[in-house]
Amino acid sequence: MTWFSSMIPGAPGNADSIASVAHALHASATEADTIEQAVSRIPSSIVTWRGDAHLDYLESQQRARSRMIHFNEGMTCAANDVESYSWNVRAMHNYVENTLRPAAQKLDDAFEHTPAVQRINAYFSLLAEARTLQGGVVRKLLTVCLCGFCPG
């Protein structure tokens, strides 16, 4: 029976879905970089342009490239942030499933093996330990949230 292990909630968030978003953002950043490089090569294809048209284009092209470079940097930063977050969520899941839940299961096992006459005292003693484990989930979740993201 699960006396104490049921007190350990599952960790929120889906690390694989979050990693998928990060992958899409990385792909978009790569595409943005490819477009910026193509725009940077345009002046070599308009060498026959002269005068104001040529100068106006070069000025416009530089503004566009600057915006694309900033956009690409933003996409790359966003992709890296989301990827980092996916690893934090994955770590939170691993901590809950591989550390806290097995520890709570040991409390269940200890309680099951406690003689009937000692069960009331054992229950409250083990309950205090289970609440400490339960607090571990909250602390881990707060750590992930303080990184700037809260899984839902």
Side-chain angles (χ1 to χ4, degrees):
M1 183 167 219
T2 59
W3 293 91
F4 304 107
S5 57
S6 61
M7 293 175 64
I8 306 300
N14 183 323
D16 292 334
S17 293
I18 297 166
S20 176
V21 170
H23 178 73
L25 288 169
H26 278 296
S28 294
T30 300
E31 181 68 19
D33 186 55
T34 301
I35 293 167
E36 185 276 321
Q37 290 175 21
V39 169
S40 74
R41 291 188 296 273
I42 290 174
S44 65
S45 68
I46 59 166
V47 293
T48 59
W49 288 19
R50 300 281 180 246
D52 288 342
H54 184 73
L55 294 175
D56 288 347
Y57 175 77
L58 290 178
E59 182 182 318
S60 174
Q61 186 245 7
Q62 286 303 314
R63 279 193 315 270
R65 281 194 64 217
S66 176
R67 289 178 181 137
M68 285 186 245
I69 289 168
H70 286 100
F71 176 78
N72 185 22
E73 289 171 350
M75 289 293 287
T76 300
C77 286
N80 291 337
D81 289 346
V82 172
E83 183 176 14
S84 175
Y85 175 61
S86 75
W87 287 109
N88 288 337
V89 169
R90 192 173 311 281
M92 181 176 49
H93 279 265
N94 287 337
Y95 179 68
V96 168
E97 296 305 321
N98 299 324
T99 301
L100 297 179
R101 200 170 305 285
Q105 183 60 51
K106 286 181 183 178
L107 298 178
D108 287 343
D109 295 343
F111 186 71
E112 288 293 325
H113 292 98
T114 301
V117 295
Q118 298 172 347
R119 281 210 165 182
I120 291 178
N121 290 335
Y123 176 80
F124 288 108
S125 174
L126 295 170
L127 180 62
E129 290 182 52
R131 287 191 173 141
T132 299
L133 294 173
Q134 193 178 41
V137 176
V138 173
R139 283 188 298 282
K140 191 69 169 175
L141 180 57
L142 286 174
T143 300
V144 171
C145 286
L146 292 175
C147 290
F149 305 97
C150 287

